[in-house]
Amino acid sequence: MKKNEHTVTVNLEGKDWTDILDNTFKKRNASANIPGFRKGKAPKEVFIKNFGIESLYMDSIDAALPKAYSKALEENKITPACEPKVDVKGIDESHVEFEFTIISKPEVKISSYKNLGVKKEVPKVTKKEIEEEISQMRNRMAEISEKKSGAVEEGDIAVIDFEGFVDGEAFEGGKGEAYPLEIGSNTFIPGFESQLIGLKKGESKDVNVKFPEDYVENLKGKDAVFKVKVNEIRSRILPKLDEEFFKDLGYDDVKTKEELESKIEAHILEHKTEDAENKYIDALIEAGIAKMTVDINDEIVDEEVARMMKDLSQRLEMQGIPLESYLQFTGSSMDDFKEKSRPDALKRIKSRYLLDEIVEKEKLEATDKEVEAHAKEQAEKYGCTADEIIEMYGGIEVVKYDLLIHKAVKVLES
């Protein structure tokens, strides 16, 4: 057993336990069918005679657990690092005895967390990046029109019917009609789009491809033939670089291409600067972790993995994708995904412990005024109110903790 694993026994007896049993009896009695009595009206003695006192134990244990766990933490002055393991060691009408195996935060030792020798990247914007951004803007605002003559070219949109076959058999999800495919977008299987170049409206072709090794389980690595027919070809008419285009972009103050380039350069530089700052902080944390010694229990990592899975499930749910479907699409099982998530979970835990240790060693504090200002700052960043941020974070204490972590990062940066 590691130093931060604690076995604690808690005994609830007397009124503490009998009150819980009574409350459970009232809830169970309200729906109990006992001959001669209306629901909820049978005396406790009659209920027990019919169902036994043991019928109250399971729900009573659930009701008693929070109180017993709080007692275990308070009396032993333990701050848990993850959910405890719980065993019921004894139970009868007069008492219940719990045994908690509680894991507290492991000991963290840091040799140094300042002057870590990490350099921040100085971002620059190239002429090519500016031109590519303007090209993407023009493509997004291009007018799409039917190509009356000629063949499919790079950048065109081919409206196609297709059906895929593996070993001569059609496979599920491999058929589509009137599908608009932009040639060069690389949205289809590698090699598919380039084989459509040169086809004219009304022409058909067998497109031969090989599914990637990281594709869905039943198709990965297999050769396939897609029977494709081109129904229509659409081309993009790019807008001119004039004031009308600049206004459509929302730049009412831009009059020339040079002024647009200046705007784009500032925009790209802002994003690059933010990205460089994030990479710098990540590198600082990694350097700090390298100077940190901590033995992290498997149970703490398991709980972090579960939290990551829950976050992923919620994000996918917002997109209307069940987690099970996502795992199936990526060719992974729940157990495989959890195992692959462990390194990231461990890194997240170590990062948190590093910053927590800096908060403690530097005796960092956050006043109510600072916390309020931090909530407002985050609200402006995410386009909501300070109250919404506090609710999103899960309470003002979590906002305070977030501010302390920001301060710890500043210490690393210094």
Side-chain angles (χ1 to χ4, degrees):
M1 182 176 283
K2 295 183 179 181
K3 287 182 180 179
N4 65 325
E5 292 183 20
H6 316 271
T7 300
V8 179
T9 300
V10 175
N11 194 32
L12 291 184
E13 55 189 352
K15 194 171 185 302
D16 284 343
W17 178 236
T18 55
D19 282 352
I20 292 171
L21 285 174
D22 284 342
N23 285 334
T24 302
F25 156 68
K26 289 172 185 174
K27 290 176 183 176
R28 295 289 301 277
N29 194 36
S31 58
N33 290 311
I34 299 176
F37 296 92
R38 285 181 294 156
K39 288 182 179 180
K41 298 301 181 180
K44 187 176 180 181
E45 296 77 16
V46 175
F47 179 95
I48 291 172
K49 185 177 180 181
N50 276 266
F51 300 105
I53 188 68
E54 294 80 9
S55 66
L56 302 178
Y57 287 167
M58 190 62 73
D59 289 348
S60 295
I61 286 170
D62 290 342
L65 258 176
K67 184 173 184 177
Y69 186 43
S70 294
K71 187 177 180 182
L73 297 178
E74 289 169 12
E75 291 182 353
N76 294 276
K77 295 181 171 55
I78 300 172
T79 302
C82 58
E83 290 297 315
K85 178 184 173 185
V86 188
D87 286 321
V88 178
K89 290 298 187 181
I91 187 169
D92 57 29
E93 290 184 66
S94 61
H95 89 294
V96 62
E97 184 179 3
F98 294 101
E99 182 181 88
F100 295 97
T101 302
I102 305 171
I103 297 174
S104 59
K105 181 180 173 180
E107 183 182 12
V108 177
K109 293 180 180 178
I110 307 176
S111 59
S112 174
Y113 53 85
K114 293 181 180 179
N115 302 317
L116 296 172
V118 178
K119 291 184 179 180
K120 186 190 292 189
E121 176 191 346
V122 180
K124 294 179 181 178
V125 181
T126 66
K127 186 77 174 174
K128 184 181 178 182
E129 288 173 324
I130 295 170
E131 289 172 353
E132 286 176 350
E133 182 65 23
I134 292 174
S135 176
Q136 288 174 16
M137 288 175 165
R138 293 180 74 193
N139 272 298
R140 284 197 297 269
M141 301 185 71
E143 181 185 333
I144 308 297
S145 64
E146 184 179 354
K147 200 170 181 176
K148 299 295 183 182
S149 61
V152 175
E153 298 178 67
E154 185 84 9
D156 284 347
I157 296 170
V159 182
I160 59 173
D161 294 339
F162 63 88
E163 186 171 14
F165 298 84
V166 171
D167 297 328
E169 296 289 331
F171 56 87
E172 187 179 352
K175 186 176 182 179
E177 293 181 354
Y179 186 94
L181 175 62
E182 182 178 343
I183 308 303
S185 63
N186 299 316
T187 52
F188 267 36
I189 304 156
F192 185 100
E193 294 169 22
S194 61
Q195 293 183 57
L196 301 186
I197 293 174
L199 290 179
K200 295 180 179 179
K201 180 179 177 179
E203 290 185 338
S204 300
K205 183 177 183 177
D206 286 356
V207 174
N208 296 285
V209 294
K210 187 182 185 72
F211 284 104
E213 292 297 334
D214 59 354
Y215 209 69
V216 293
E217 189 64 33
N218 62 319
L219 294 175
K220 64 181 182 180
K222 292 187 177 181
D223 293 318
V225 178
F226 281 85
K227 295 188 177 297
V228 182
K229 180 186 177 184
V230 177
N231 298 321
E232 184 184 338
I233 305 171
R234 300 171 186 169
S235 59
R236 294 176 179 274
I237 301 174
L238 299 178
K240 293 180 181 179
L241 288 171
D242 54 21
E243 286 190 48
E244 184 180 347
F245 174 61
F246 304 150
K247 286 180 180 178
D248 288 340
L249 292 173
Y251 296 137
D252 291 339
D253 56 336
V254 172
K255 306 296 180 186
T256 66
K257 180 189 175 186
E258 290 71 27
E259 289 176 353
L260 175 65
E261 289 174 340
S262 179
K263 285 272 189 185
I264 300 303
E265 182 179 13
H267 177 73
I268 295 174
L269 184 61
E270 181 183 350
H271 281 276
K272 280 195 166 189
T273 302
E274 185 179 343
D275 187 50
E277 179 68 18
N278 291 334
K279 287 180 179 177
Y280 176 57
I281 291 170
D282 286 345
L284 282 170
I285 289 173
E286 283 191 22
I289 288 173
K291 294 181 177 293
M292 181 176 77
T293 303
V294 59
D295 185 12
I296 299 174
N297 311 64
D298 287 340
E299 291 86 348
I300 297 175
V301 182
D302 290 340
E303 190 163 296
E304 188 67 28
V305 169
R307 189 179 293 115
M308 290 168 66
M309 292 292 288
K310 183 179 179 183
D311 290 345
L312 173 64
S313 181
Q314 288 174 342
R315 290 198 304 272
L316 290 170
E317 199 174 290
M318 290 173 68
Q319 300 172 47
I321 305 170
L323 178 60
E324 293 75 17
S325 299
Y326 173 80
L327 292 174
Q328 185 179 5
F329 181 75
T330 55
S332 179
S333 68
M334 188 74 78
D335 288 340
D336 288 340
F337 197 85
K338 285 181 178 179
E339 192 60 34
K340 289 176 184 175
S341 299
R342 290 185 75 81
D344 282 342
L346 188 58
K347 184 179 177 181
R348 284 170 62 160
I349 295 164
K350 286 183 176 181
S351 301
R352 193 159 60 237
Y353 285 173
L354 170 71
L355 297 172
D356 284 347
E357 194 70 8
I358 292 171
V359 169
E360 187 175 330
K361 284 185 177 295
E362 295 287 325
K363 296 181 171 57
L364 300 178
E365 295 180 348
T367 65
D368 290 346
K369 191 173 181 180
E370 286 177 319
V371 174
E372 184 181 333
H374 184 64
K376 287 181 180 178
E377 182 183 323
Q378 296 302 302
E380 288 174 8
K381 183 177 177 181
Y382 293 106
C384 57
T385 67
D387 287 341
E388 286 171 333
I389 279 289
I390 292 168
E391 184 180 349
M392 191 189 306
Y393 274 47
I396 195 70
E397 285 302 313
V398 185
V399 177
K400 182 177 181 178
Y401 175 74
D402 187 63
L403 175 56
L404 288 171
I405 292 302
H406 274 71
K407 287 190 173 189
V409 169
K410 292 295 181 187
V411 172
L412 271 179
E413 289 183 285
S414 68

